[in-house]
Amino acid sequence: MTETGGWPGGHPPTAPSGGPPPSVTSDRQPILQLRAISKHFGAVEALSGVDFDVYPSEVVALVGDNGAGKSTLVKTIAGINIPDSGEIWFEGQHVAIHGPRDPAALGISTVYQDLALCDNLDVVANLYLGREEVEPPVLLLSEERMEQRAREVLKSLDVKIPNPRNPIAALSGGQRQSVAVARSVMWKAKVVLLDEPTAALGVQQTKQVLELILRLRNQGLGVVVISHNLANVFEVADRIVVLRLGKRVGTYERKAASEERIVAAITGAEFGKFQPQV
Amino acid sequence: MSAAGAPSAPTGPPVVSNLQSLWRRVSQGDVGSLPVIAGLVLIWLVFYSLNPLFLSPRNLTNLVSQIADIGIVSVGIVLVLLLGEIDLSVGSVYGLASAVMAVLSVQYGWSAAPAIVAGLLVGTAIGTFQGFFFTRFRIPSFVVTLAGLLTWFGAQLHVMGEKGTINLDDPTIVQLAGQFFPPSVGWTLAVIAVVVLATDLFIRRRRRAAAGLPQAGLAGDLVKLGAVVAVILGATAIMASDEGVPLSLLILLGFVVGFDLITTRTKFGRHIFAVGGNAEAARRAGISVNGIRIAVFALCGTLAAAGGIMGASRLLAVNYNSGTGDTLLNAIAGAVIGGTSLFGGRGTVWSALTGALVIGSINNGLALLSAASDVKFMVTGGVLLAAVTIDAVARQGRQRAGV
Ligand SMILES: Nc1ncnc2c1ncn2[C@@H]1O[C@H](COP(=O)(O)OP(=O)(O)OP(=O)(O)O)[C@@H](O)[C@H]1O
Ligand SMILES: [Mg+2]
């Protein structure tokens, strides 16, 4: 990761295309800023010129239809996709993200749509995947220390797992989601990205994950949530960003927005002309 | 399965949670080495009933020295299987490495150590090369190593030149498979092994207690330890009553124990399992997936070379046929029979030893009955099919469980 220096005020230049709309919370500094991010896969323009900000202590919902580019945007921040063009700023510094280690070092962690857990490994091993602790002289894994901390983290997040030494293969869908969220926050994260965290969950587990999201926000984290469930979005989000066909088509304060307006932005119908069938 | 929100006791009483985890393992086919050990006992009883000499100390000592080369190759196969890959070139690497060592030792007069190291490095270089091709060009490992099977066999013929057979005479090389240690040495090693195992168990329990973590039942741990100790002492007693403990067995055990430690207790080993279980998850966690893959192929090549050197030492010669025939198939069959999954991410290095014992016992027992190769191949094939079926059924069990 290389830091290429900061702009005088710590602000990145606004994109030529008018830049981001003035934020209502302009007295605060965004912790993460994306400027004019573009990414294509072959002929598919997955993202074109997207600007995106995340502030500390806020939940930003990222919504849009299937294939709108939500997961691609999150993977760009997570270092999985390298954008074709655009800039990423973190805490007022221009940063280069070349791989998954770079955002992790900054304090950005991600829970993927497909969870990215290893079924054959146990819960402790998954929580520590890629960050295993070893004992200095012989460099064997410190299983006890890792298990102890894993149990603490699961407990502090109120995640109920009968035995963290069971392989992921033995857990229910809700338990797996909880493990994935726990892994994302146990490394002093400042920004957490959640790709459809409640998609496969029942009512009770969904509620738990939403509560978990609010708990993360109240601890000062910036939380980005992708969801197709607008009811969930309205329950937790402070701001709602709408993507359509790889472009950002709107940003709404939750308190000033209505579901109809968001749906109109998602589908591309002009608000006012679009009347949902009741 | 209780959901995250359901009120479930975090840790039930030890007996209940042990039973639950046993049931989960049986229903998902995750039973480790139990089937292969049961199979081994069965095979031994059958051969014993057909010819009591089969279980004589002399024959059992023969048996363990016969499996050293294949067992070592199998350790490497286990590593690539854990990644969910395969290496079909190990037989040819086995042959080429032993040919290189033999030519350097006999024709160029190199002393034992550099000749052996050169042979091992041939394996390392080949493994690295194949791993590089596999990762860089995304050619399936099956195809890369199939090309290797042909190429390195050709290289073996080339290295040996006109000579169809090179007889080994270097005393150190010959001793690798020919040396037997007297009972006093065997018993000393056995006692050391028992003390190390007991200490390891004790330290781990104490560390868990110090960290405030729940313990597995002491009785269960002691029963497991007792079983392993009984095997060690029993095997030592049998070998001590005849020629002594073969060095080749100790070399094989050294590789097995060493790589078991590496795979289960180091970061590198954990990453091998992670890549084999879910390569994409490993990549996103910042693990260098291709680095792990190349390292594992390099290790597999090195172990194949080590097996070839042990085999040459046992036969006192290298020829055009070294490493051909059933070397490759036995090494892969052994790993799978021992319980390592073909589908990646599940298994243990110990399956190299148990699988080699099964295959070695079949070969040895049938030879004792003067059965010809036809029967040997058919029996080995049947056992392999049974082992792969257990693996596949277990996999289906896991998928039914929603894995
Ligand atoms: N690795 C890839 N290779 C090729 N095309 C891709 C890849 N990843 C995404 N795309 C394409 O980019 C576009 C955006 O995909 P993305 O996964 O970001 O959508 P999404 O908004 O997350 O949709 P969903 O709600 O279905 O998850 C789609 O057309 C998709 O097919
Ligand atoms: Mg998506």
Side-chain angles (χ1 to χ4, degrees), chain A residues 101 114 120 132 141 143 162 170, chain B residues 1 10 265 270-271 284 286 345:
Chain A
R101 280 179 193 278
D114 47 4
N120 57 329
E132 294 83 0
L141 294 168
E143 294 289 359
Chain B
M1 194 57 52
R265 297 218 203 161
R270 178 65 45 87
H271 291 178
R284 292 182 196 170

Side-chain angles (χ1 to χ4, degrees), chain A residues 71 113 195-196:
Chain A
S71 297
Q113 200 164 1
D195 193 349
E196 306 209 23

Side-chain angles (χ1 to χ4, degrees), chain B residues 28-246:
Chain B
Q28 293 180 15
D30 182 12
V31 284
S33 348
L34 282 183
V36 63
I37 289 175
L40 192 58
V41 170
L42 186 71
I43 289 168
W44 283 21
L45 289 178
V46 169
F47 281 123
Y48 178 71
S49 68
L50 295 173
N51 184 346
L53 277 182
F54 180 77
L55 288 187
S56 66
R58 168 66 50 96
N59 193 53
L60 288 178
T61 308
N62 269 344
L63 171 58
V64 293
S65 27
Q66 281 161 359
I67 64 167
D69 58 337
I70 291 298
I72 292 170
V73 180
S74 230
V75 170
I77 292 290
V78 168
L79 298 179
V80 290
L81 287 181
L82 286 178
L83 282 184
E85 303 298 335
I86 191 66
D87 185 343
L88 298 180
S89 73
V90 288
S92 298
V93 173
Y94 176 113
L96 175 59
S98 58
V100 166
M101 177 196 69
V103 166
L104 291 176
S105 167
V106 175
Q107 291 176 8
Y108 290 81
W110 287 29
S111 56
I116 291 172
V117 169
L120 292 175
L121 288 180
V122 166
T124 315
I126 289 175
T128 311
F129 176 80
Q130 292 179 157
F132 172 77
F133 259 78
F134 162 56
T135 53
R136 174 66 182 78
F137 300 107
R138 301 184 185 217
I139 308 167
S141 56
F142 169 80
V143 183
V144 173
T145 58
L146 183 61
L149 183 157
L150 300 169
T151 311
W152 315 127
F153 179 59
Q156 175 185 351
L157 297 182
H158 181 76
V159 165
M160 296 196 57
E162 300 290 290
K163 294 207 172 168
T165 303
I166 301 175
N167 291 316
L168 294 166
D169 48 13
D170 184 289
T172 309
I173 293 176
V174 168
Q175 265 178 4
L176 287 177
Q179 169 95 356
F180 286 80
F181 291 113
S184 57
V185 176
W187 282 115
T188 310
L189 291 172
V191 168
I192 291 175
V194 169
V195 169
V196 167
L197 284 173
T199 312
D200 179 55
L201 175 65
F202 174 71
I203 290 178
R204 280 208 274 177
R205 288 190 68 91
R206 211 181 48 182
R207 288 169 55 108
R208 285 189 70 84
L213 299 172
Q215 294 277 12
L218 180 60
D221 274 356
L222 288 181
V223 167
K224 274 185 221 155
L225 178 67
V228 175
V229 168
V231 169
I232 292 175
L233 298 183
T236 312
I238 289 171
M239 290 181 289
S241 73
D242 193 62
E243 287 174 281
V245 178

Side-chain angles (χ1 to χ4, degrees), chain A residues 39-42 44-47 62-75 81 113 195-196 226-228 243 245-246:
Chain A
K39 173 78 187 175
H40 65 86
F41 296 105
V44 179
E45 197 76 19
L47 294 173
L62 195 52
V63 300
D65 229 332
N66 292 121
K70 307 180 295 293
S71 297
T72 305
L73 185 64
V74 161
K75 285 180 182 167
N81 288 337
Q113 200 164 1
D195 193 349
E196 306 209 23
I226 295 180
S227 180
H228 286 287
L243 286 185
L245 300 175

Side-chain angles (χ1 to χ4, degrees), chain A residues 9-175:
Chain A
H11 283 289
T14 48
S17 56
S23 171
V24 179
T25 49
S26 56
D27 53 322
R28 291 195 300 149
Q29 291 282 314
I31 183 164
L32 175 69
Q33 294 168 284
L34 271 62
R35 286 295 170 268
I37 298 290
S38 295
K39 173 78 187 175
H40 65 86
F41 296 105
V44 179
E45 197 76 19
L47 294 173
S48 42
V50 173
D51 293 341
F52 186 66
D53 293 347
V54 183
Y55 291 82
S57 296
E58 79 159 352
V59 178
V60 191
L62 195 52
V63 300
D65 229 332
N66 292 121
K70 307 180 295 293
S71 297
T72 305
L73 185 64
V74 161
K75 285 180 182 167
T76 300
I77 304 172
I80 305 293
N81 288 337
I82 307 304
D84 302 329
S85 63
E87 293 183 349
I88 300 178
W89 292 67
F90 190 77
E91 294 183 319
Q93 298 284 318
H94 183 194
V95 294
I97 291 182
H98 298 299
R101 280 179 193 278
D102 294 340
L106 293 171
I108 302 173
S109 40
T110 313
V111 180
Y112 298 96
Q113 200 164 1
D114 47 4
L115 294 186
L117 299 173
C118 290
D119 283 346
N120 57 329
L121 296 178
D122 65 26
V123 174
V124 179
N126 271 282
L127 288 176
Y128 275 87
L129 198 63
R131 308 186 192 237
E132 294 83 0
E133 285 181 15
V134 292
E135 308 261 308
V138 274
L139 298 184
L140 295 185
L141 294 168
S142 348
E143 294 289 359
E144 293 83 8
R145 214 148 31 104
M146 292 194 283
E147 182 173 338
Q148 200 178 19
R149 170 101 199 282
R151 284 176 185 271
E152 279 168 19
V153 168
L154 293 174
K155 198 170 163 210
S156 75
L157 296 175
D158 206 17
V159 174
K160 297 203 173 58
I161 305 269
N163 180 359
R165 283 300 176 186
N166 282 350
I168 294 294
L171 301 186
S172 72
Q175 288 172 324

